[in-house]
Amino acid sequence: MELLTDPFGRVHDYMRISVTDRCNLRCIYCMPAEGMHFQPHDEIMSYEEIAAVVKALAPAGLRKVRLTGGEPLVRKELERLVAMLSSIPGIEDISLTTNGLLLPAKAAALKAAGLSRVNISLDSLRQERYSMITRGGNVAKVLKGIEAAHAAGLSPIKLNVVLMKGINDDEIKDFIALTINSPLNVRFIEYMPIGSASDAWRQSYLPLERVLEACREAGWETEEAHPPAGNGPSQDSRVVGAKGTFGLIHPVSEHFCDNCNRLRLTADGHIKACLYWSDEFNVRPLTGDPEAVRGLFRKALGGKPHNHEMALALEKKAQSHTPTSRRMSQIGG
């Protein structure tokens, strides 16, 4: 069967699936403090509908699935969906992005159901600051979630750090220090203008060259590292002699669109071929027809632009398409 290919020859074998737009945190870069409209439960795709979409796409080359939100672990019995997806022929890797708060109670069951690995969002190691960024979170619970993931055998464990100027950029060395004695992969991610390219975003945006500067300031010698499983766009390095690695993901300053292999499915059943642009296609009414599902994904890919032009938003320049108005929590992190 023909693979899922866009007009620029990029083959898409990876889909990020949001299972909910709800979350037990309110991170400042993900959603506003107030005024969020959460979708009624009957507008959210069932596990059976999600599995039907994945089953339809596997013969067309879909191999990797990542479950996201919102916070995916607030959705009941997520391990049931993991088990459904892991039983689909052709699906080789199932991963999860989470804030980690609920992992202590869920990690073992998720691993047993077929989850391979986990990415945990952690933007500060300092309780007061973590609480400010997340609007009320407890960093100690995230650290227990990391321990639970390790105990369950989920590997690799990646920590996602959205780097924000004047907010958490003074913790770069603290995060890299975590990798010296532990096989963690800390990934610094540039702050993206998803949902709003505001002046506040521009003021907080920080290119990731700052991470390498921090290494030099600390006197650390670094070397290129072999990417851990499911590495994607991260450029990985390690402090010489360290057990873990750190990576740089810079979607704004050095976009990696040329090698994009990602599709997205929102919790309400909309295909997004590109995270940043507003184009969406509702696949939910077609889940009972595998050929129609594949056809709509091919249509979505047919209009996928060459790149997302976030850098133009940083410079307040005109863009060729309309950016999404959805927040990251509504799309899937």
Side-chain angles (χ1 to χ4, degrees):
M1 185 178 293
E2 182 184 353
L3 298 178
L4 297 165
T5 307
D6 70 11
F8 303 96
R10 297 173 293 196
V11 176
H12 293 66
D13 63 356
Y14 172 33
M15 185 160 65
R16 300 174 71 97
I17 301 173
S18 175
V19 298
T20 180
D21 63 340
R22 297 169 188 266
C23 188
N24 48 0
L25 296 176
R26 294 289 183 274
C27 295
I28 57 176
Y29 54 80
C30 194
M31 64 175 78
E34 298 178 347
M36 280 295 295
H37 169 69
F38 296 106
Q39 292 170 306
H41 292 296
D42 61 358
E43 293 181 11
I44 300 298
M45 292 188 80
S46 69
Y47 289 165
E48 289 73 19
E49 288 172 319
I50 292 171
V53 171
V54 173
K55 190 173 183 179
L57 297 181
L62 183 67
R63 294 294 174 261
K64 298 184 292 182
V65 171
R66 174 172 294 279
L67 302 178
T68 73
E71 169 48 49
L73 294 183
V74 303
R75 181 94 185 248
K76 293 181 179 179
E77 299 181 343
L78 188 67
E79 61 273 18
R80 186 166 69 85
L81 175 60
V82 172
M84 294 166 70
L85 298 180
S86 67
S87 70
I88 296 173
I91 300 303
E92 301 170 352
D93 182 83
I94 303 172
S95 56
L96 174 75
T97 294
T98 173
N99 59 35
L101 296 178
L102 300 177
L103 268 178
K106 285 289 189 177
L110 289 165
K111 174 65 175 178
L115 190 71
S116 304
R117 51 198 174 84
V118 64
N119 288 15
I120 299 174
S121 299
L122 180 59
D123 299 312
S124 178
L125 297 168
R126 306 174 188 178
Q127 173 52 35
E128 184 176 350
R129 181 176 292 170
Y130 180 80
S131 180
M132 181 276 292
I133 292 172
T134 61
R135 299 190 178 99
N138 185 334
V139 72
K141 291 184 178 180
V142 184
L143 298 178
K144 288 181 180 178
I146 295 171
E147 293 174 0
H150 179 73
L154 294 167
S155 179
I157 298 172
K158 302 178 183 180
L159 304 185
N160 290 347
V161 183
V162 176
L163 204 58
M164 295 169 280
K165 182 168 60 178
I167 297 178
N168 64 352
D169 52 324
D170 59 343
E171 293 188 64
I172 293 171
K173 297 173 190 176
D174 296 337
F175 275 108
I176 295 177
L178 293 177
T179 71
I180 294 177
N181 296 312
S182 176
L184 293 170
N185 177 244
V186 173
R187 311 192 315 162
F188 297 99
I189 304 171
E190 286 182 340
Y191 188 6
M192 292 181 284
I194 304 303
S196 176
S198 65
D199 286 337
W201 163 69
R202 294 183 182 90
Q203 292 165 7
S204 298
Y205 168 79
L206 183 68
L208 297 186
E209 286 83 356
R210 177 67 194 114
V211 176
L212 301 179
E213 290 175 3
C215 287
R216 291 191 289 270
E217 292 168 2
W220 288 325
E221 182 182 353
T222 62
E223 60 187 2
E224 186 176 349
H226 294 295
N231 183 60
S234 178
Q235 297 178 349
D236 287 287
S237 301
R238 76 171 72 245
V239 175
V240 173
K243 293 182 179 180
T245 61
F246 66 92
L248 308 181
I249 301 178
H250 29 60
V252 180
S253 64
E254 298 179 37
H255 72 74
F256 35 84
C257 299
D258 287 347
N259 299 314
C260 184
N261 66 339
R262 301 182 181 198
L263 293 160
R264 292 176 183 269
L265 183 64
T266 65
D268 57 353
H270 286 78
I271 305 164
K272 287 188 71 70
C274 178
L275 167 65
Y276 188 52
W277 301 122
S278 61
D279 305 52
E280 296 185 358
F281 300 81
N282 186 5
V283 74
R284 194 178 184 192
L286 307 177
T287 54
D289 185 341
E291 187 57 43
V293 168
R294 289 189 289 269
L296 191 60
F297 271 86
R298 296 188 196 285
K299 180 179 179 180
L301 280 172
K304 183 169 182 172
H306 184 260
N307 65 71
H308 54 52
E309 302 177 12
M310 289 185 198
L312 294 181
L314 186 63
E315 300 170 7
K316 295 187 178 182
K317 293 182 178 179
Q319 297 168 295
S320 62
H321 292 67
T322 303
T324 183
S325 60
R326 289 220 213 195
R327 296 284 182 166
M328 186 68 86
S329 61
Q330 297 170 310
I331 298 172

